[in-house]
Amino acid sequence: MAEVNVWAWWQNALEGNFGPIHDGDPQQGYYRTRFKDKPWEPVAIWFEDGKWHAMRGERQVDASDIWTWCCRNPISYEAYNKAIEGAGWDDEPEAPAIGHNLPTDPFEALTVEFAAEREQAEAFLKKPITTQAEADRAAIWSKRLSTIAKKATDLHKVEKQPHLDAGRSVDDKWRALKDEPDAISKKLKRHMDAFLQEEARKERERQAAARAEADRIQREADAARVAAEQAAAKNDNNAASDAAAEAERLAQQAAQAEREAQARNASAGRTGAKVSLRTFVFAEVTDFDALLMALKDRAEIKEVVEMLANRAARSGVELAGMAIRSEQRAA
């Protein structure tokens, strides 16, 4: 009779050809398995003395129990020996040498863990990836680092949550006393708009009339000054004196009229609680397309357009002025 090759299933699996897999039906060979987010552990399964045997790392385990957990991860005998000797796996980064005496503070412990991973990863990044094993290591490193980031996010949330809750409680306590008085204050100001605008209109009319009167008096003062100069030229001292006095009186009157012609802003209230009209400048869009063209080179507009274009591309909608492109990236 031909001798049965008890290693056949495992040898075929190493080539990617997996035979039937049944619970409780282990196949002799070398494999690996791991708990979630834990390092790989080597597994050896063999039949001897009429029964199945299995080792998971340095621990003896039940072959039937471990089988379905490791069967899809066959490894070579050389890889098994290397792992058993503590030399790790070719397709997995070495575990960082941080020992077991990590700080008890979660932040400090995670900082130490990240520092160890970063040192190795940055050294790895200095050379291009040229083998499948190196690509596998990069993928696992990426996962380990993203796990650290996830832990940091979760720990940050836990530590910050009491502060957020306390902050929201304080916000809730004061919100009504902040928002409602402010809203009524603004309503009162809007309630004064029409009155103050009418007062401003009256003020403009008064100012125009005062300006006209000031100009009239100034012309009379100028005429009186010319009369005084002409009388003095004729040596008519009495007439010159009278004309000079009239010119001085009109000049003072003109100065007073000039002060009256100054603008007075319409206001209400008293010092410390005074409300007056102020000019607020805003844009009224009269031609959206023309305005958009005028603003098209602004960085803010480009960011918004790119965001909307990416959203359209992901939905499969190709708009005018864009093309849908794709590229493959490690994810």
Side-chain angles (χ1 to χ4, degrees):
M1 292 179 62
E3 184 177 350
V4 177
N5 180 8
V6 296
W7 301 95
W9 195 100
W10 166 70
Q11 290 168 342
N12 289 331
L14 283 175
E15 299 297 326
N17 301 316
F18 290 86
I21 298 175
H22 303 291
D23 288 348
D25 183 24
Q27 299 294 324
Q28 185 162 299
Y30 301 97
Y31 308 88
R32 64 180 179 178
T33 188
R34 64 178 170 183
F35 296 108
K36 185 177 180 181
D37 297 329
K38 298 295 183 181
W40 286 106
E41 294 181 276
V43 175
I45 299 176
W46 72 97
F47 189 79
E48 185 178 12
D49 297 331
K51 62 180 180 178
W52 285 101
H53 303 267
M55 294 290 293
R56 177 173 183 162
E58 302 292 339
R59 306 187 311 278
Q60 186 170 353
V61 294
D62 186 278
S64 296
D65 290 342
I66 196 67
W67 169 241
T68 52
W69 296 100
C70 69
C71 60
R72 295 193 180 278
N73 302 302
I75 60 174
S76 68
Y77 177 67
E78 292 75 18
Y80 176 82
N81 277 333
K82 184 176 180 180
I84 282 292
E85 292 170 0
W89 305 91
D90 289 341
D91 62 348
E92 186 170 75
E94 294 181 9
I98 55 177
H100 300 287
N101 297 321
L102 286 172
T104 56
D105 178 76
F107 173 80
E108 294 179 358
L110 201 58
T111 299
V112 171
E113 183 179 348
F114 171 54
E117 294 283 10
R118 178 173 58 185
E119 182 179 1
Q120 294 186 76
E122 288 179 345
F124 179 82
L125 286 167
K126 292 178 180 179
K127 297 186 297 182
I129 293 174
T130 58
T131 67
Q132 182 63 48
E134 289 175 341
D136 292 340
R137 283 201 295 273
I140 294 169
W141 244 323
S142 175
K143 173 63 176 177
R144 290 205 315 218
L145 287 165
S146 67
T147 299
I148 291 176
K150 174 70 166 54
K151 287 180 183 177
T153 299
D154 293 342
L155 290 170
H156 171 246
K157 182 177 181 181
V158 170
E159 183 174 342
K160 189 176 179 180
Q161 195 60 48
H163 302 281
L164 293 176
D165 293 340
R168 278 193 286 267
S169 177
V170 173
D171 290 344
D172 292 342
K173 175 182 176 181
W174 288 96
R175 182 172 291 108
L177 278 175
K178 287 170 53 184
D179 296 347
E180 293 182 19
D182 183 62
I184 296 175
S185 172
K186 290 176 180 176
K187 285 182 180 179
L188 287 168
K189 288 181 179 180
R190 299 292 73 75
H191 198 53
M192 286 185 279
D193 284 347
F195 172 78
L196 292 178
Q197 288 165 1
E198 175 62 18
E199 290 298 299
R201 185 193 66 76
K202 294 177 182 178
E203 171 57 22
R204 288 192 294 272
E205 291 181 353
R206 184 205 67 77
Q207 184 183 2
R211 169 58 57 194
E213 179 65 9
D215 291 344
R216 182 190 67 77
I217 296 173
Q218 186 62 53
R219 288 194 297 272
E220 291 182 0
D222 293 342
R225 187 164 48 254
V226 170
E229 292 172 353
Q230 290 173 346
K234 295 177 181 179
N235 293 321
D236 186 347
N237 294 334
N238 290 334
S241 177
D242 290 344
E246 179 63 9
E248 178 63 22
R249 183 186 69 79
L250 289 172
Q252 292 178 2
Q253 189 175 347
Q256 178 61 33
E258 180 67 27
R259 287 190 290 271
E260 289 295 324
Q262 299 301 312
R264 302 168 188 170
N265 195 16
S267 62
R270 62 179 186 276
T271 301
K274 198 168 188 178
V275 177
S276 59
L277 287 178
R278 292 176 57 189
T279 300
F280 293 88
V281 179
F282 60 93
E284 178 186 359
V285 179
T286 58
D287 188 329
F288 180 83
D289 292 338
L291 178 60
L292 189 59
M293 290 300 296
L295 296 174
K296 66 182 179 63
D297 293 328
R298 296 288 294 269
E300 308 96 298
I301 299 298
K302 290 183 177 180
E303 289 178 5
V304 171
V305 171
E306 287 179 358
M307 178 192 69
L308 295 175
N310 285 328
R311 186 181 299 171
R314 288 191 292 269
S315 300
V317 178
E318 188 166 329
L319 302 173
M322 64 167 278
I324 298 177
R325 298 284 185 264
S326 65
E327 66 178 12
Q328 291 188 317
R329 293 177 293 196

